[in-house]
Amino acid sequence: MTGASGHLGRAVAKHAAAALGTGRHLVLATRTPAAFTGAQPETDVRRADFTDPTTLADAFVGVDRAVIISTDDIDGRARGQIAAIEAARAAGVRHILYTSMLAPVPANPAIIAPSHWATEEHLRNSGTDYTILRAGFYADFQVFEAAAALASGTLVHNRGDGRCAYLARDDIARAAAAVLVGGGHEGETLDLTGTEAFDAPALARLYSEIGGHEVTPQVVSDDAMLGLLGAGSEGHNQYGARLTVSIGQAIRGGFCDLVTDTVAQLTGRAPDPLGAVLARSGGSPG
Ligand SMILES: NC(=O)c1ccc[n+]([C@@H]2O[C@H](COP(=O)([O-])OP(=O)(O)OC[C@H]3O[C@@H](n4cnc5c(N)ncnc54)[C@H](OP(=O)(O)O)[C@@H]3O)[C@@H](O)[C@H]2O)c1
């Protein structure tokens, strides 16, 4: 697996290691092998940086099935992820999994969609067995929105009547580990979602219950939302504001409202409800 030192990567590695049994082992590929100093001596840690092709040739040697975790470099990642797919193919990897997002189709306005779509398309046309894991938005990250809404008493949003079935990162990891270790699902695109799709009024009710005081939803235009989030900011923060607004547009456009039982089918356990994820977060996404 690539991206081994990220939050999702660590969780996939934990669940996969627990399910592996004897005779097979996990290869942890990361830009920062030093992050695993002190791990079990038999742990196979390799350097893999999608922007450095010299690290990719050896990263997949001897690997049968690989999961490529999408990187956080939204603008540049398609090229790197495609390089990783090609390196895996060249090394003889039989089955490649990729962690994508729900409905990254060209019509999806979320600015993270095109790079996922380009990577998916490359994988679909690669001639290799593949499984695409399309994950819903992290339930863990709703903690920020819940905190802001509780502080102001208002859930300001640009999602219209759209809904989203948020999913805990650990549940995505459990599903990815199940396919990585258990195999099967070749040629499939699996939609991983939470158990319930929330619109803004339902989210406001949930935040009110958790926080103990009332939160009222307030819909605003995309421009107003951008102004509220990004006013006076630049660089990273401005980018974050554009990302958040585009995710609101995607939710409003119906690209996130799917509810599936795929996580339960793959893992034998339903994902945690959003309320449980928020209640245990203690104000931090982990
Ligand atoms: N569904 C959602 O709501 C949601 C939210 C946020 C992010 N995501 C996506 O899910 C991914 C995993 O999430 P996370 O919470 O684990 O994020 P994270 O902790 O920020 O991890 C970032 C990941 O990107 C990898 N990465 C970055 N640059 C790389 C490069 N040049 N070559 C290879 N790998 C690179 C990192 O691997 P190493 O550090 O080990 O090299 C790490 O696994 C993110 O990268 C993003 O694509 C989804």
Side-chain angles (χ1 to χ4, degrees), residues 3 5 7-8 30-31 49-50 70-72 77 136 138 169:
S5 74
H7 289 85
L8 182 63
T30 175
R31 291 167 300 168
D49 181 340
F50 297 173
S70 60
T71 81
D72 53 2
R77 69 183 167 191
Y138 288 170
R169 183 163 45 199

Side-chain angles (χ1 to χ4, degrees), residues 250-263:
I251 294 172
R252 188 171 76 220
F255 293 96
C256 309
D257 56 6
L258 197 64
V259 175
T260 72
D261 64 355
T262 308
V263 172

